[in-house]
Amino acid sequence: MQGFANFMWLLSLALIAFSGFALVDAAVRREDAYRAADKKTKPFWLIILGLAFIVNLIFNIMSFLPIIGLVATIVYMVDVRPALRQITGGGRGGGRRGGSSSDGPYGPYNGGR
C-alpha cells in the first residue's frame, strides 16, 4: 500500500509541476498573441490555469477537480501554446531564425526578376 501512496504522491507532484509550467508559460506570452491566434484572452487563460494550479495544490489526485484542471492544462498545452508560438515566432531565442527581412514563404524575394 505504501508503494501506491508513493506513486500517487509523485503523480500529484507531476501534475502540480505541469500546471505550474503552463501557468508560467501563459503569463509570459504577449496579450496580443492570444487575440491574433483567436484563442480567448490572456486573463481568461491565466484564471483557468491559476485555478487548475491551486486545485492541484489543495485537492488529492483522486478527487474530481484535479482531473478538470488537468484537462484545462492539456487544452492549453496542445492547442493554445502551439498557436501562440506560431504567432510570436517560436520558442528558444525568439524572433526569426536565419534569413533576411526580404524572405518570403518560399525563399528570398528577388523583386520580380
Side-chain angles (χ1 to χ4, degrees), residues 58-82:
I58 295 174
F59 291 101
N60 187 2
I61 190 73
M62 296 299 282
S63 176
F64 188 69
L65 290 175
I67 303 303
I68 294 172
L70 176 63
V71 169
T73 305
I74 290 172
V75 166
Y76 176 81
M77 293 298 287
V78 301
D79 182 39
V80 178
R81 186 172 185 252

Side-chain angles (χ1 to χ4, degrees), residues 11-28:
L11 190 62
S12 179
L13 192 63
L15 198 58
I16 290 169
F18 184 55
S19 62
F21 173 78
L23 178 62
V24 170
D25 186 72
V28 299

Side-chain angles (χ1 to χ4, degrees), residues 34-87:
Y34 288 88
R35 288 179 302 214
D38 198 26
K39 300 293 182 186
K40 296 287 185 187
T41 62
K42 184 175 183 174
F44 172 83
W45 282 108
L46 288 176
I47 290 169
I48 295 295
L49 294 172
L51 286 173
F53 181 72
I54 290 170
V55 163
N56 287 330
L57 282 176
I58 295 174
F59 291 101
N60 187 2
I61 190 73
M62 296 299 282
S63 176
F64 188 69
L65 290 175
I67 303 303
I68 294 172
L70 176 63
V71 169
T73 305
I74 290 172
V75 166
Y76 176 81
M77 293 298 287
V78 301
D79 182 39
V80 178
R81 186 172 185 252
L84 294 176
R85 289 181 72 176
Q86 185 177 14
I87 295 292

